[in-house]
Amino acid sequence: MKEISPDLRSFVLTLPSVPFLEALLLLHGAPGTIWTAEAIAQRLYLQSVARADAIVRELAARGFCACTADGLLIYRPADDALHALIAELAREYQQRLIEITQLVHAR
């Protein structure tokens, strides 16, 4: 099995938590869906909607998605390069879940 690309490794090391990573992949997997923090909390089994809301705000601040004034969220990366990196992450995460989550925890 080939190694994770250096660009992807660097990107994963910038992600603050596994729930953040999983929220990003959730949005990527349903690009036309409009999400609320409550829906993200439910899908990721987060006990706190406040935690999901913080993740939503950070996803928007980092340019991974667009967030409306009323807190609705849609997958909309800032540029094509970021979208390509997220798509690579989604593919690799299916094959390397443990390795990628360990990278997130290592930061």
Side-chain angles (χ1 to χ4, degrees), residues 45-80:
Y45 303 103
L46 298 175
Q47 294 180 357
S48 165
V49 173
R51 174 99 192 267
D53 189 56
I55 290 170
V56 163
R57 286 193 310 273
E58 189 164 355
L59 285 165
R62 290 181 176 219
F64 297 138
C65 64
C67 191
T68 66
D70 55 355
L72 299 177
L73 191 70
I74 190 163
Y75 178 75
R76 189 172 296 141
D79 57 47
D80 290 340

Side-chain angles (χ1 to χ4, degrees), residues 12 15 17-26 89 93 100-101 104:
V12 169
L15 303 178
S17 67
V18 172
F20 182 92
L21 160 73
E22 291 181 345
L24 176 59
L25 294 178
L26 179 66
L89 173 60
Y93 194 65
I100 290 173
T101 56
V104 173

